[in-house]
């Protein structure tokens, strides 16, 4: 043990005790339980590691003991996008021993504005490979585990079992509920961060005595309410801010230091640079973490969130027109009215001269349209315009078509001078 | 009766319905009155916060200062002069296109809106 403290031995995986299920009869393990377990792990630091982490080691709040806890810890990051980028980078730099990454996506050019773990040369590569390069370059001592898969009800529980803390950097409601429920069912803390435009939220859910995501939001936005494409977008630095907060919470949980965001929801307003805090309570009637849970295994989260399968896209069954056909008919000076239902700021990026009425304004501005004329509706990719076509049909317009693929298809197949965004 | 003045914090996705304001001040003695005053002032907001039956939507959380009204007296919760009421929506942004089938145009961050009028 003395030698170990000097960092003279390295422990192998087979020697490492299982800190999650020290007592296999305990299904729910609190942060305190596993932090206590981490304390007892005879993980040691090499001379190189001692030098690398010296700024941690000279702080009494971390010290050798804390740094060994970090090395013993196993953290699973769901997603290596906006939130996952800073999160994984800082956890790797800080010396978290085992980092799991779950992602199946490929780096896209539009990711680079905020997903700082990926660089321009990585466009087209798997995010997992791109992230792995950066993380191991920062810290070669890192045990990195890549999971090239879509998190699902079938694989989440098994995946989570091998980790101590789950950091949720996902982008949609079904996966949020899936991560939450799987965390509750496996007894793993869920370090939560979420962003929208200029706003962020952060909390720590699913600890033994703390609330879970469902205590805060028992239900997702119900079916019948549709996602507004125009409402997307995010300030590039915001996921950085929130992802670093998640990293901070992960490290505090491992160290057992400070006051974690358990039972508190931090609201971040980047425009006002204001931080507010709301109290969260564990709901005794919570369907998953309450006293009489009704959700005792993972469910179909797309169904729960009212999202129908991809087999029935929004535009199914609506009259469509292809971009080549529109081009031909416009060139032939046919009487066609082109309606653009995107937002004004999108119109400024590029347009094909259509009459602009944003989708959400359409009900109030329908009088601007002449139902006797033939109307072609477009948006960016065809989703919003499909809703507009359906709405116009319900309102008595007989000659409306949806431009398949939107202005993006126009850019790809008709006029490459129209920028894609 | 002189009603106290409270400030309602509007989350980003709903600001477009309140002339882009981040807070709206209303005179009210309960949370319910505050919300009624808010949607009376800004009728476009109503369908985003209430169901057609006039019930507050289940995914809209309301707080008075830092307390969830579900654990107080719900919409009957009293408000005092200077209290802050917050509308806290569920947001899901984080890692674009990362983990589940999405609408092709649904980019990072989602907020659910009705597009067809009631």
């Amino acid at each position: 043990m003395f030698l170990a403290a000097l960092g003279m031995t390295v422990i192998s995986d087979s020697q490492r005790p299982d800190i999650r299920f020290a007592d296999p009869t305990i299904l729910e393990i609190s942060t305190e339980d596993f932090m206590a377990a981490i304390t007892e792990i005879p993980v040691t630091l090499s001379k190189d590691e001692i030098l690398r982490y010296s700024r941690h080691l000279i702080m009494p709040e971390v010290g050798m003991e804390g740094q060994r806890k970090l090395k013993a810890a196993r953290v699973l990051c769901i997603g290596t996008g906006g939130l996952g980028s800073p999160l994984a980078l800082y956890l790797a730099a800080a010396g978290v021993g085992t980092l799991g990454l779950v992602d199946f996506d490929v780096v896209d050019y539009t990711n680079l504005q905020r997903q700082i773990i990926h660089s321009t040369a990585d466009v087209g590569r798997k995010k997992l490979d791109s992230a792995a390069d950066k993380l191991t370059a920062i810290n070669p001592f890192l045990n990195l585990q890549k999971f090239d898969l879509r998190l699902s009800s079938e694989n989440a529980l098994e995946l989570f079992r091998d980790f101590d803390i789950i950091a949720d950097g996902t982008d949609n409601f079904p996966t949020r509920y899936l991560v939450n429920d799987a965390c509750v069912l496996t007894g793993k803390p869920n370090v939560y961060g979420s962003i929208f435009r200029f706003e962020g939220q952060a909390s720590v859910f699913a600890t033994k005595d703390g609330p879970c995501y469902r205590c805060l939001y028992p239900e997702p936005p119900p079916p019948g309410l549709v996602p507004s494409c125009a409402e997307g977008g995010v300030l590039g630095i915001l996921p950085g801010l929130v992802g670093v907060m998640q990293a901070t919470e992960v490290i505090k949980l491992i160290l057992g230091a400070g006051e974690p965001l358990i039972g508190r929801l931090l609201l971040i307003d980047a425009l006002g640079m204001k931080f507010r805090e709301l109290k969260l309570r564990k709901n005794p009637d919570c369907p998953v973490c309450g006293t009489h849970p009704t959700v005792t295994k993972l469910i179909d989260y797309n169904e729960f969130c009212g999202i129908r399968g991809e087999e029935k896209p929004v535009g199914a069954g609506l009259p469509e027109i292809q971009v080549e056909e529109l081009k031909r008919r416009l060139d032939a000076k046919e009487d066609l009215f082109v309606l653009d239902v995107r937002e004004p700021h999108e119109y400024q990026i590029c347009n094909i001269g259509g009459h602009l009425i944003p989708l959400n304004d359409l009900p109030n501005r329908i009088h601007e349209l002449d139902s006797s004329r033939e109307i072609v509706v477009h948006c960016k990719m065809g989703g919003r315009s499909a809703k507009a076509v359906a709405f116009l049909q319900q309102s008595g317009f007989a000659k409306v078509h949806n431009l398949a693929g939107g202005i993006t298809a126009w850019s790809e197949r008709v006029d490459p001078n129209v920028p894609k965004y | 009766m002189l009603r106290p003045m409270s400030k309602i914090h509007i989350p980003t996705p709903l600001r477009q319905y309140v002339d882009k304001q981040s807070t709206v001040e209303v005179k009210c003695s309960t949370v319910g009155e505050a919300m009624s005053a808010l949607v009376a002032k800004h009728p476009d907001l109503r369908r985003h916060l209430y169901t057609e039956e006039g019930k507050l939507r289940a995914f809209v959380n309301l707080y008075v200062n830092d307390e969830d009204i579900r654990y107080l007296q719900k919409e009957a919760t009293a408000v005092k002069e200077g209290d802050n009421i917050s509308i806290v929506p569920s947001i899901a942004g984080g890692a674009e296109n990362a983990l589940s089938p999405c609408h092709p145009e649904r980019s990072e961050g989602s907020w659910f809106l009705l597009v067809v009028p009631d």
Side-chain angles (χ1 to χ4, degrees), chain A residues 104 114 199 231 276 281, chain B residues 12 16 67 86 96 98 108:
Chain A
F104 62 86
R114 66 200 172 282
E199 263 178 64
E231 287 298 311
R276 291 189 301 138
R281 288 170 205 267
Chain B
T12 321
Q16 57 180 307
E67 289 283 359
S86 303
E96 187 171 2
E108 188 159 341

Side-chain angles (χ1 to χ4, degrees), chain A residues 17 20 54-55 66 86 114 132 184 209 236 240 272 283 288 321 323 337 345 348 366 372 393 407:
Chain A
R20 297 147 300 129
S54 61
R55 296 302 183 274
R114 66 200 172 282
V184 173
D209 300 312
N283 180 0
V288 63
I321 181 169
V323 287
F337 185 83
H345 59 268
Q348 283 173 16
I366 197 164
S372 69
Q393 283 186 334
I407 197 167

Side-chain angles (χ1 to χ4, degrees), chain A residues 144-160:
Chain A
L144 188 72
Q145 299 182 2
K146 300 189 283 182
F147 300 97
D148 185 3
L149 48 85
R150 188 189 294 267
L151 193 72
S152 69
S153 298
E154 286 69 46
N155 58 32
L157 294 178
E158 198 187 334
L159 195 57
F160 285 18

Side-chain angles (χ1 to χ4, degrees), chain A residues 300 302-303 305-314 316, chain B residues 101-104:
Chain A
D300 180 336
N302 281 338
E303 191 190 338
C305 293
I307 292 174
R308 290 171 292 274
E310 280 179 308
E311 73 281 1
K312 202 181 164 208
V314 195
Chain B
C102 268
H103 189 282

Side-chain angles (χ1 to χ4, degrees), chain B residues 9-73:
Chain B
H9 290 262
I10 311 292
T12 321
L14 297 180
R15 286 185 195 163
Q16 57 180 307
Y17 307 104
V18 294
D19 306 323
K20 306 219 158 65
Q21 301 171 89
S22 58
T23 56
V24 174
E25 295 211 353
V26 290
K27 282 202 169 86
C28 58
S29 3
T30 64
V31 174
E33 283 181 24
M35 298 309 288
S36 303
L38 176 69
V39 297
K41 245 187 209 181
H42 303 281
D44 289 348
L45 204 52
R46 181 182 299 275
R47 60 203 165 107
H48 300 288
L49 299 176
Y50 291 93
T51 62
E52 281 170 36
E53 295 78 38
K55 274 189 66 182
L56 199 64
R57 293 190 183 278
F59 62 97
V60 175
N61 286 2
L62 294 179
Y63 283 76
V64 173
N65 302 323
D66 64 351
E67 289 283 359
D68 189 334
I69 64 162
R70 282 181 296 184
Y71 298 103
L72 300 170
Q73 285 79 48

Side-chain angles (χ1 to χ4, degrees), chain A residues 82 104 114 150 169-171 173 176 194-195 199 201 215-218 226 231 276 279 281 379 381-384, chain B residues 11-12 16 59 61 66-67 70-71 86 88-89 91-101 105 108 112-114:
Chain A
F104 62 86
R114 66 200 172 282
R150 188 189 294 267
T170 58
D171 70 338
F173 290 108
R176 292 283 182 200
S194 184
I195 48 170
E199 263 178 64
Q201 296 181 346
C215 297
L216 172 62
Y217 295 115
V226 292
E231 287 298 311
R276 291 189 301 138
K279 277 186 204 150
R281 288 170 205 267
C379 62
M381 292 175 76
R384 275 173 284 175
Chain B
T12 321
Q16 57 180 307
F59 62 97
N61 286 2
D66 64 351
E67 289 283 359
R70 282 181 296 184
Y71 298 103
S86 303
V88 184
I91 57 175
E96 187 171 2
N97 306 332
L99 297 150
S100 93
E105 276 191 71
E108 188 159 341
F112 288 73
L113 299 169
L114 281 170

Side-chain angles (χ1 to χ4, degrees), chain A residues 233 235 271 277 331:
Chain A
L235 187 68
L271 272 189
E277 195 182 301
D331 286 350

